[in-house]
Amino acid sequence: MARGGKGAFGGAKINSYGVWLSFCAVFLLGLADFRRPLSWRNLDLLMLLSFSVSLWFFNHGDVFASVPLAYPPMLYLIARCTWIGFTGRASRSRPVWPYWVLLFAAVFLAGFRIGLNLEDSNVIDVGYAGVIGADKLVHGKNLCGHRPKDNGSVDTYGPVN
């Protein structure tokens, strides 16, 4: 996956340029304050969207470019959240769109995303491991099986309580 091949999620339709940029545009148009273009709110939105640059490099298998490109927005968000937490002064701005429009857009986009998952997605090892672990817990089985004791014999754990 990290080598840019058409693997588990690198080739999914959500990562195609048209779909991804459309989601980014809807996110920005729905939440940005165009009456005050130089506001903290708009800068916060742009910094969140800047993670897309790192994602692009990751999807093309360039992990050594992807990881460092995720640091600037992460550091910005940590600094911004810390500043808001200590000062208690977040940007006070009202939504540009009515709430019902934002709610409708969120429901539509969530449905669109679920549709993309149903059309073009697959499960990787972490997904399988989570389901297998949950099934073992439900049926009272050990998650890790048997493990050796210090003296070399095998210790069998009882059912999970």
Side-chain angles (χ1 to χ4, degrees):
M1 290 181 294
R3 290 172 179 81
K6 299 291 183 193
F9 56 82
K13 289 181 181 177
I14 187 68
N15 290 327
S16 69
Y17 297 122
V19 173
W20 186 257
L21 292 177
S22 297
F23 271 99
C24 290
V26 169
F27 176 77
L28 190 62
L29 290 173
L31 298 175
D33 186 1
F34 295 106
R35 295 172 291 190
R36 295 180 42 215
L38 298 177
S39 64
W40 281 108
R41 175 182 179 163
N42 291 345
L43 182 61
D44 293 344
L45 293 173
L46 289 175
M47 291 307 287
L48 285 172
L49 287 175
S50 70
F51 281 110
S52 296
V53 177
S54 175
L55 177 67
W56 186 86
F57 280 99
F58 178 79
N59 286 338
H60 287 84
D62 194 353
V63 179
F64 294 108
S66 172
V67 173
L69 286 171
Y71 292 155
M74 188 67 72
L75 292 173
Y76 169 82
L77 291 171
I78 290 170
R80 179 88 165 109
C81 290
T82 302
W83 182 77
I84 290 171
F86 281 119
T87 64
R89 297 186 313 198
S91 60
R92 306 275 185 237
S93 58
R94 297 175 45 87
V96 177
W97 303 95
Y99 290 108
W100 66 269
V101 171
L102 294 175
L103 180 63
F104 175 78
V107 170
F108 174 78
L109 291 172
F112 184 73
R113 177 68 171 108
I114 291 168
L116 280 175
N117 277 351
L118 293 174
E119 172 67 25
D120 180 41
S121 68
N122 58 339
V123 180
I124 60 175
D125 58 346
V126 176
Y128 285 122
V131 172
I132 291 168
D135 185 61
K136 284 184 174 185
L137 285 175
V138 167
H139 292 96
K141 297 179 182 175
N142 295 322
L143 292 178
C144 300
H146 307 291
R147 77 173 185 180
K149 285 185 175 181
D150 290 336
N151 63 5
S153 65
V154 175
D155 180 17
T156 305
Y157 293 101
V160 176
N161 295 328

